[in-house]
Amino acid sequence: MGRFVERFALVLSDNGFPRMPARVFVGLLAAEQETRTAAELAQQLRVSPAAISGAVRYLEQVGLVAREREPGQRSDHYRIFSNAWYEALTRRDQMLLRFEQVLREGIDAVGTESLAGLRLDETRQFFEYMRGEMPRLLAQWREQRSKKGQG
């Protein structure tokens, strides 16, 4: 299992995901338990609790992990949202819109007919297309999960 965690975390980090948050995310994803404490994650990944703390903070900010505390216990427990990827992609809509807005500024700055302006506009059009298609794709995913009784 440890090998899988490291391998998948490496794939995520090769694609822009920060390394330690990737390891913690995959560690939670592959855990048999629904929740894990920072100490359990630190032991599993053979890192310091401080490394876990920073990674979990990042994962909470991007909406992939929730922090919980059991009544009467002092340590936090972390869980992955069951629809973590869905939620992460849903929030990408705002990111894509910001990309489009900034690209429009760049196009205005270099001119719409310049080579740079044409490249920037092609990039803007791509993000606009992806933002337009995302709701349809996410709706299809919800429908597929409903059919399988997971929704």
Side-chain angles (χ1 to χ4, degrees), residues 86 135-151:
Y86 174 87
R136 182 183 61 77
L137 290 171
L138 294 173
Q140 287 176 343
W141 173 248
R142 284 190 309 270
E143 183 179 325
Q144 180 178 333
R145 283 182 52 93
S146 281
K147 287 178 183 176
K148 292 182 177 181
Q150 297 174 338

Side-chain angles (χ1 to χ4, degrees), residues 57-124:
R57 200 168 25 259
Y58 173 85
L59 292 168
E60 285 179 302
Q61 288 173 351
V62 297
L64 292 175
V65 168
R67 178 189 317 244
E68 303 170 349
R69 184 165 288 182
E70 298 292 324
Q73 289 193 355
R74 294 173 55 167
S75 57
D76 291 329
H77 292 252
Y78 304 102
R79 92 170 47 247
I80 289 184
F81 291 114
S82 64
N83 55 354
W85 292 112
Y86 174 87
E87 291 298 326
L89 286 173
T90 299
R91 282 187 298 285
R92 294 291 175 170
D93 185 60
Q94 288 303 317
M95 179 191 73
L96 294 173
L97 181 59
R98 285 193 307 268
F99 287 175
E100 287 175 54
Q101 292 166 341
V102 171
L103 284 162
R104 280 191 181 94
E105 291 175 23
I107 294 164
D108 290 344
V110 299
T112 57
E113 299 302 317
S114 70
L115 183 57
L118 294 171
R119 278 195 311 266
L120 291 173
D121 192 48
E122 181 179 358
T123 303
R124 183 203 55 78

Side-chain angles (χ1 to χ4, degrees), residues 16-45:
F17 211 93
R19 181 82 171 118
M20 186 53 64
R23 291 180 72 205
V24 170
F25 179 76
V26 178
L28 285 167
L29 186 66
E32 188 62 33
Q33 305 86 348
E34 223 175 299
T35 66
R36 304 287 306 223
T37 65
E40 290 168 336
L41 288 165
Q43 182 179 9
Q44 174 188 357
L45 301 173

